[in-house]
């Protein structure tokens, strides 16, 4: 345990990170690889809560030419598909998992109850928070920030398809420069958008550090909880 920097984390996995090379949906090899690393992190004694996105199926906030609230409801349902996929892959490795949804669907998962979620973590169960905040016009980044605050997570581990925060979009600008560290204030002042500004502002106000890294190396999750500096730290 002494080698751990963080003992309770909120791991945010973007939907796209589950799709691997396919670019959409769930890629079985990719989800298995990620869950192998989550398993190893759990074995170290880390209490893990997960928020997963839905962008590999549907992203209402991208403007899809339909009523925004309906589009966002569809996006939240997409996070449930990913949550159940993660639950299954983690349980097949012998880890007890509970999915809690911000919108009730009791036949499928528990409704979100903070005290129950914390109890699950104390009992070394992994808790997956589905449906984001349960409200349209929000993102799962913001849900990750808000849930991290509620469960007193020491850090948010933001696992993305990009290996950190850049001063411009690295997929469009080959000269984009990556930050090792950046304050939330500077992040907001520069108008960066890799993490949405609502989430950044919430983490700033509540002093929650965020470690942003890529899953190109799935060991990054373990490296991050041990305190290795990978990707970008936002503080
Ligand atoms: N969403 C929402 N409220 C929330 C979280 C998510 O309405 O609190 C919807 C929104 O349409 C969003 C979609 O769910 O585009 C998927 O979430 P997100 O885009 O954050 O997924 P990611 O990009 O991380 O895969």
């Amino acid at each position: 345990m002494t080698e751990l920097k963080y003992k309770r984390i909120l791991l945010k996995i973007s939907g796209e990170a589950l799709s691997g090379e396919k670019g959409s949906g769930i890629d079985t090899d990719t989800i298995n690889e990620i869950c192998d690393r989550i398993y190893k992190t759990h074995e170290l004694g880390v209490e893990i809560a997960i928020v997963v996105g839905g962008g590999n199926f549907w992203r209402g906030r991208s403007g899809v030419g339909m009523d925004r609230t309906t589009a966002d409801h569809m996006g939240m349902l997409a996070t449930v598909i990913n949550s159940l996929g993660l639950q299954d892959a983690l349980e097949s490795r012998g880890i007890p998992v509970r999915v809690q949804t911000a919108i009730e669907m009791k036949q499928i998962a528990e409704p979100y109850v903070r005290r129950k979620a914390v109890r699950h973590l104390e009992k070394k169960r992994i808790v997956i928070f589905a449906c984001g905040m349960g409200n349209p016009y929000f993102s799962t980044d913001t849900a990750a920030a808000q849930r991290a605050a509620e469960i007193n997570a020491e850090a948010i581990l933001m696992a993305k398809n990009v290996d950190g925060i850049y001063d411009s979009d690295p997929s469009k600008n080959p000269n984009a420069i990556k930050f090792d560290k950046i304050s939330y204030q500077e992040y907001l002042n520069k108008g960066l958008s890799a993490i949405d500004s609502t989430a950044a502002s919430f983490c700033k106000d509540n002093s929650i550090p965020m470690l942003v890294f890529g899953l190109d190396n799935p060991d990054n999750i373990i490296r991050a909880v041990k305190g290795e500096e990978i990707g970008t730290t936002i503080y």
Side-chain angles (χ1 to χ4, degrees):
M1 289 292 281
T2 48
E3 57 181 331
L4 295 176
K5 179 163 185 189
Y6 303 109
K7 297 196 178 75
R8 179 176 292 177
I9 59 162
L10 188 303
L11 174 64
K12 161 74 205 293
I13 305 173
S14 71
E16 272 176 1
L18 299 180
S19 64
E21 298 288 299
K22 283 176 25 176
S24 67
I26 294 177
D27 177 64
T28 312
D29 290 343
T30 304
I31 197 169
N32 279 327
E33 197 171 26
I34 292 171
C35 289
D36 279 343
R37 299 326 200 276
I38 297 174
Y39 171 82
K40 284 189 189 161
T41 311
H42 182 257
E43 285 281 279
L44 295 174
V46 183
E47 294 177 358
I48 305 169
I50 299 174
V51 167
V52 63
N56 52 328
F57 288 111
W58 188 265
R59 193 176 275 130
R61 67 188 163 99
S62 308
V64 283
M66 60 183 289
D67 173 66
R68 171 70 193 260
T69 301
T70 305
D72 281 344
H73 285 156
M74 292 166 71
M76 286 187 264
L77 291 174
T79 71
V80 180
I81 299 177
N82 286 331
S83 298
L84 296 181
L86 280 172
Q87 172 176 247
D88 185 79
L90 289 167
E91 282 187 341
S92 71
R93 286 160 176 75
I95 310 175
V97 180
R98 298 290 185 274
V99 175
Q100 293 198 339
T101 57
I103 295 172
E104 279 197 19
M105 42 186 89
K106 287 185 202 157
Q107 287 82 354
I108 293 179
E110 293 180 0
Y112 173 65
V113 177
R114 175 191 168 262
R115 282 171 176 275
K116 269 187 128 181
V118 170
R119 189 75 190 123
H120 290 322
L121 293 172
E122 288 167 353
K123 290 193 163 188
K124 305 298 175 204
R125 297 175 185 138
I126 289 183
V127 185
I128 304 175
F129 298 123
C131 298
M133 309 271 291
N135 297 312
Y137 293 92
F138 284 96
S139 71
T140 51
D141 285 355
T142 302
Q146 206 268 344
R147 293 288 186 248
E150 282 194 84
I151 62 163
N152 296 318
E154 293 157 293
I156 299 171
L157 273 61
M158 192 64 82
K160 286 190 154 285
N161 271 2
V162 185
D163 63 352
I165 302 290
Y166 287 77
D167 64 350
S168 56
D169 186 346
S171 67
K172 294 183 187 141
N173 176 11
N175 299 318
I177 296 167
K178 189 169 102 181
F179 298 98
D180 292 332
K181 285 194 170 118
I182 185 169
S183 69
Y184 285 114
Q185 190 62 63
E186 200 183 344
Y187 178 92
L188 291 164
N189 289 347
K190 288 183 186 295
L192 301 177
S193 59
I195 309 297
D196 73 63
S197 59
T198 312
S201 167
F202 183 95
C203 288
K204 171 180 165 289
D205 291 349
N206 293 286
S207 308
I208 306 170
M210 190 182 285
L211 317 176
V212 184
F213 55 87
L215 276 180
D216 44 326
N217 175 358
D219 279 331
N220 280 347
I221 299 172
I222 299 174
R223 295 170 66 200
V225 295
K226 288 185 174 175
E228 265 187 62
E229 294 195 351
I230 50 170
T232 302
T233 302
I234 322 182
Y235 59 96

